[in-house]
Amino acid sequence: MVFNSSALLNAAAGLAADLEKGKKLTRRQITVGEPDPFDPEIAAIRKKLDMSQSVFAAVLGVTPASVMSWEYGRRTPSGPVRRLLHIASRQPQILLEFA
């Protein structure tokens, strides 16, 4: 990625002009990368939450067979589930609210 100072200055000038006119600041664009490949053991997260595969699957909104396949390494979770598992690995109490 190349830094473009003139584009940054033009954007800042446009923003300043909009703010002076009383326009609201809103975010219309955001770049979100793909979820990281999920490294931590899914079974470890599930066990930390003291959930069976069936309960864990219900909380995640997937089938027990999917959880079993992930834990045995036969399949990998989809992007949204990887993102949720990443959150659960950092703050497992969030998933407990849905159990």
Side-chain angles (χ1 to χ4, degrees):
M1 177 179 226
V2 177
F3 178 73
N4 185 339
S5 60
S6 62
L8 179 61
L9 290 173
N10 288 337
L15 176 61
D18 287 345
L19 290 174
E20 285 176 5
K21 293 176 188 174
K23 288 189 177 179
K24 286 174 62 175
L25 246 168
T26 59
R27 180 176 289 266
R28 298 184 192 275
Q29 252 185 326
I30 186 168
T31 303
V32 177
E34 282 291 315
D36 294 333
F38 195 72
D39 292 332
E41 292 277 329
I42 293 169
I45 295 170
R46 179 178 60 77
K47 290 174 184 173
K48 186 175 184 179
L49 293 166
D50 196 29
M51 292 182 183
S52 66
Q53 287 180 336
S54 296
V55 171
F56 192 62
V59 169
L60 293 176
V62 299
T63 65
S66 292
V67 172
M68 189 182 303
S69 293
W70 301 335
E71 290 185 1
Y72 290 118
R74 290 188 292 245
R75 293 180 46 212
T76 58
S78 65
V81 175
R82 282 197 320 260
R83 181 89 63 202
L84 186 55
L85 288 168
H86 185 76
I87 292 167
S89 70
R90 290 183 175 189
Q91 297 185 358
Q93 70 279 5
I94 290 173
L95 281 187
L96 291 174
E97 293 177 22
F98 300 98

